[in-house]
Amino acid sequence: MSIFDSALLQRTQHLLEMIYHETNINVSFEMLTETLLQEMRLESESHQIASHDQVRPSDLWDQSTTVMITYGDSFLAAKEKPLITLKHFLDEHCEGLINSVHILPFFPFSSDDGFSVMDFSSVNEALGDWADIESISQDYRLMADLVINHCSSRSLWFQNFIKGEGPGHDYFYTESLDADLSQVVRPRTSPLLRETQTDKGLQYVWCTFSHDQVDLDFRNPEVLLQFIKIIRQYLDMGVRIFRLDAIAFLWKKIASSSINLEETHNVVRLLRLLIEHAQSDAVIITETNIPNRENLSYFGNANEAHCVYNFALPPLLINTLITGNSHHLKLWLMSMPPAQLGTTYFNFIASHDGMGLRPVEGILADDETQVLVDTLQDFGGRISWRALENEEGEAIQKPYEVNISLFDALQGTLKGKDELGIDRFICAHAIMLGLEGIPGIYVHSLLATRNDYQRMEHTGHNRSINRHQWQYDELEGLLEEKSHHKKVFTELKRLLAIRQQQKAFHPNATQFTLHLGYSIFAYWRQSHDRKQSIFCISNISDVAQEFMLSDINLVSTDDWHDLISGAEMTRQDMLVQLTPYQTLWISNS
């Protein structure tokens, strides 16, 4: 008789059948189910004990939840491991304002700044060790990458694949050169199949991203079992937020796009089920840099990702601020469905990667996207491309992302660079911090880091332009003197401190888009108990704007004030003037 809860057994087995229904596997679904649960150590007794302390979906996050995104070695200090220096930065500069930290892949790797993992179970010795990771997780909610689609060609698994024996010998997806791969969607221009000489002869390995990042074959249940073991280890080390990297590409089929396939969605459902039962306060975030409608599908019916990246927000918000026109941003916001209880959006406007352009396909016209790309190139940005075919079947390239630091991206408008860059930059963050969802702030946005051309030239990769490494002593000096770094950091921390006190900024609080003209972007938030309302109003242009308080229908019996400036908003007939890029958070409490 099984030691596991019958409902859990049935749900797990059903999902496994949905994943592998077209795959010939040499194990029963019942046996596979029990093995998965054993690997996650979900014995019924311990699960029943944990169930008494289950976390309600509404308690997974609140208005104080803010994630800082960083590499493990964003800060360097003499005679100190970078993870220790990172902990110093968090404790000395972010305590009380940042409660969660996403440390980008901290494992041994061979390329792509960590996303070509050689060993999923170890910490890169150049960064520190598991004790350093656990130290951070004790004081901050830790988010880590589950690089689940691929691993390094220098990994032991892939070396065993070449030898034809040992763990990994059957973990990789191979395909024939004759297979119909014409519909495959991928974000790179390199050949899809990597020619590899193995003990079994010449084989062609699927590589979605690069030939050093070899795709794993989840048609083999053993691969799934390995990742369940990895998840269990990460939970034991304090990871509570799992970022499923490149998850949309997980399952492959010939004569298909091999992206967002139903098997992939079922794998996400299975991982959520198992992780929730192992750790009720753990959260899954899917990283799917794809068109908006496809991205939203990863919520499922509140049974897949707890959070999805709001990938359309960065290009739309940057486009809004450099054009001075909020039309597309407003239409997009109006089209976004409120997230169901237990799910929410993960909002960000900059990250370690470039600004993706695929999410605005169907939102911005091609010529508008080209204007955005050209403008950001004028501000020092670089373009990364993806391979496509035109209607005639000819190979073409299309911009995939713009590589640029957010601070440099917002140093001007379509007219060129100006003196309003800092105001524009703060405005972008004030807009993001008020939106429905959890804010994720890239460390180099927090510090207003500029384009790092030297690092980009050294690595030969465009993305390195926004992956600066700070000498900690130098940064400390800049944050003590009158630098733009200090000015931005101080103001962003002030906005975070204000935000975390407002119930109307709960990630799932009510949100409605307001209409105050194209030069003003505005929306309304209301707390779950309906006691607090906040009208978030931003001038997204480089000239002064104005509106009447009567335009937003403030309840006359309440006392209203701007949370940011402290100004009273008392009279319905009051004419409010906004300086370029000024934001108001008009609240009744």
Side-chain angles (χ1 to χ4, degrees):
M1 178 177 287
S2 172
I3 64 172
F4 302 110
D5 174 79
S6 61
L8 177 61
L9 274 169
Q10 291 175 6
R11 292 176 64 191
T12 304
Q13 185 170 325
H14 172 70
L15 286 169
L16 288 169
E17 291 173 353
M18 294 294 290
I19 295 167
Y20 293 110
H21 67 287
E22 293 183 356
T23 305
N24 294 322
I25 57 175
N26 298 319
V27 62
S28 72
F29 288 119
E30 182 178 354
M31 183 181 298
L32 181 55
T33 298
E34 298 237 4
T35 304
L36 279 176
L37 298 180
Q38 288 167 354
E39 293 295 353
M40 286 292 278
R41 301 203 297 277
L42 295 179
E43 289 85 356
S44 59
E45 182 180 353
S46 63
H47 177 58
Q48 288 168 4
I49 293 173
S51 295
H52 293 301
D53 193 30
Q54 286 289 303
V55 174
R56 297 178 302 172
S58 58
D59 294 333
L60 288 170
W61 44 72
D62 62 21
Q63 60 273 15
S64 68
T65 304
T66 302
V67 181
M68 187 184 83
I69 306 164
T70 181
Y71 276 102
D73 58 358
S74 291
F75 305 107
L76 304 175
K79 299 180 181 179
E80 187 173 78
K81 292 289 187 173
L83 286 173
I84 296 175
T85 311
L86 172 59
K87 182 67 159 53
H88 290 330
F89 175 80
L90 288 165
D91 293 345
E92 295 164 9
H93 295 286
C94 303
E95 187 176 13
L97 299 176
I98 300 288
N99 64 5
S100 306
V101 57
H102 174 199
I103 307 179
L104 291 153
F106 46 80
F107 319 105
F109 70 98
S110 56
S111 64
D112 199 18
D113 278 358
F115 286 92
S116 187
V117 179
M118 295 172 63
D119 180 2
F120 290 93
S121 62
S122 300
V123 175
N124 183 353
E125 291 181 356
L127 299 178
D129 54 30
W130 279 117
D132 300 319
I133 292 294
E134 288 186 277
S135 175
I136 293 172
S137 73
Q138 288 169 7
D139 295 320
Y140 302 89
R141 192 163 167 79
L142 180 60
M143 177 172 168
D145 290 273
L146 189 68
V147 186
I148 194 169
N149 179 71
H150 51 263
C151 70
S152 169
S153 65
R154 290 172 54 190
S155 65
L156 176 61
W157 285 353
F158 196 68
Q159 296 311 304
N160 286 343
F161 167 76
I162 292 173
K163 291 188 297 183
E165 60 183 19
H169 77 276
D170 55 354
Y171 286 6
F172 296 92
Y173 196 106
T174 61
E175 197 52 83
S176 165
L177 290 179
D178 297 327
D180 179 8
L181 305 178
S182 60
Q183 299 178 47
V184 173
V185 173
R186 54 194 293 263
R188 296 293 185 270
T189 57
S190 58
L192 175 62
L193 300 180
R194 165 193 162 130
E195 184 178 290
T196 304
Q197 188 64 50
T198 73
D199 185 66
K200 297 178 181 179
L202 194 62
Q203 297 197 59
Y204 297 91
V205 182
W206 192 294
C207 297
T208 298
F209 294 95
S210 78
H211 283 192
D212 185 47
Q213 294 165 293
V214 283
D215 281 35
L216 294 153
D217 188 357
F218 275 81
R219 294 175 302 180
N220 178 359
E222 184 63 30
V223 177
L224 176 62
L225 286 170
Q226 286 293 341
F227 274 90
I228 294 300
K229 294 178 183 178
I230 291 165
I231 290 170
R232 180 67 261 178
Q233 180 188 13
Y234 292 0
L235 286 170
D236 293 341
M237 294 301 173
V239 175
R240 291 296 177 265
I241 308 174
F242 291 85
R243 176 184 184 269
L244 304 188
D245 177 65
I247 187 68
F249 303 97
L250 188 75
W251 203 271
K252 289 86 173 168
K253 286 183 181 179
I254 60 172
S256 82
S257 64
S258 293
I259 187 171
N260 306 321
L261 298 185
E262 188 58 28
E263 290 86 351
T264 295
H265 283 280
N266 281 318
V267 169
V268 176
R269 293 179 187 118
L270 177 64
L271 294 181
R272 172 160 176 172
L273 175 67
L274 297 179
I275 289 173
E276 278 188 331
H277 275 266
Q279 187 73 40
S280 61
D281 64 343
V283 168
I284 287 176
I285 300 181
T286 48
E287 187 271 327
T288 47
N289 192 355
I290 51 182
N292 198 50
R293 183 182 294 273
E294 298 169 30
N295 187 36
L296 293 178
S297 71
Y298 282 87
F299 275 139
N301 186 22
N303 62 349
E304 294 189 40
H306 293 87
C307 307
V308 298
Y309 274 77
N310 237 339
F311 274 110
L313 180 59
L316 284 176
L317 183 51
I318 293 171
N319 182 73
T320 294
L321 290 166
I322 69 171
T323 62
N325 188 320
S326 64
H327 173 69
H328 291 300
L329 186 61
K330 284 200 294 187
L331 288 180
W332 167 77
L333 193 65
M334 291 167 60
S335 73
M336 296 295 282
Q340 296 184 52
L341 185 64
T343 68
T344 195
Y345 296 104
F346 187 74
N347 296 324
F348 74 108
I349 48 178
S351 74
H352 62 291
D353 286 340
M355 183 192 75
L357 297 173
R358 287 213 68 205
V360 293
E361 291 177 5
I363 301 176
L364 296 182
D366 287 347
D367 59 338
E368 292 173 314
T369 300
Q370 190 59 53
V371 169
L372 174 63
V373 168
D374 292 343
T375 302
L376 296 182
Q377 281 184 299
D378 290 341
F379 297 159
R382 301 293 190 270
I383 309 302
S384 296
W385 305 84
R386 66 186 179 104
L388 292 172
E389 287 187 357
N390 61 20
E391 295 179 355
E392 289 73 36
E394 299 170 331
I396 60 171
Q397 293 187 351
K398 188 172 183 178
Y400 172 70
E401 67 177 19
V402 182
N403 304 110
I404 190 170
S405 83
L406 182 64
F407 190 74
D408 278 301
L410 293 174
Q411 286 308 296
T413 67
L414 298 182
K415 306 170 190 175
K417 292 186 179 181
D418 56 29
E419 302 300 317
L420 296 170
I422 290 179
D423 296 327
R424 194 178 291 112
F425 187 77
I426 297 298
C427 177
H429 285 87
I431 289 173
M432 179 189 73
L433 290 174
L435 287 172
E436 174 189 356
I438 295 170
I441 303 182
Y442 188 37
V443 65
H444 292 305
S445 294
L446 204 59
L447 298 170
T449 308
R450 305 297 298 262
N451 289 335
D452 190 337
Y453 298 109
Q454 184 176 359
R455 182 171 175 81
M456 182 184 69
E457 292 171 4
H458 176 72
T459 65
H461 298 294
N462 287 345
R463 285 179 168 177
S464 297
I465 198 171
N466 195 26
R467 297 177 179 178
H468 183 69
Q469 291 178 299
W470 280 105
Q471 294 296 324
Y472 199 60
D473 289 345
E474 176 192 1
L475 177 63
E476 291 273 76
L478 290 170
L479 294 180
E480 291 176 2
E481 61 187 46
K482 291 184 178 179
S483 66
H484 79 270
H485 305 285
K486 179 180 181 179
K487 185 173 183 179
V488 166
F489 193 27
T490 300
E491 184 60 15
L492 290 184
K493 289 199 294 182
R494 190 172 77 89
L495 291 177
L496 285 170
I498 295 171
R499 180 186 190 276
Q500 66 182 16
Q501 300 301 319
Q502 316 307 319
K503 290 185 178 180
F505 282 156
H506 186 285
N508 294 109
T510 300
Q511 175 174 286
F512 284 107
T513 308
L514 304 176
H515 302 281
L516 299 176
Y518 291 134
S519 297
I520 294 177
F521 178 65
Y523 52 93
W524 171 71
R525 303 295 308 278
Q526 185 183 59
S527 59
H528 289 129
D529 61 12
R530 299 187 179 182
K531 292 181 179 179
Q532 184 185 29
S533 287
I534 301 178
F535 291 86
C536 305
I537 302 171
S538 297
N539 177 1
I540 50 84
S541 76
D542 58 359
V543 296
Q545 302 292 329
E546 58 186 30
F547 68 96
M548 298 289 294
L549 275 185
S550 57
D551 293 336
I552 56 175
N553 297 319
L554 302 183
V555 176
S556 59
T557 56
D558 290 347
D559 295 324
W560 296 87
H561 65 283
D562 174 28
L563 294 169
I564 297 177
S565 68
E568 297 296 324
M569 302 284 172
T570 55
R571 304 190 331 269
Q572 285 286 332
D573 62 348
M574 180 178 177
L575 180 65
V576 180
Q577 295 186 333
L578 295 171
T579 59
Y581 304 109
Q582 181 182 1
T583 292
L584 304 177
W585 286 345
I586 303 175
S587 174
N588 61 347
S589 64

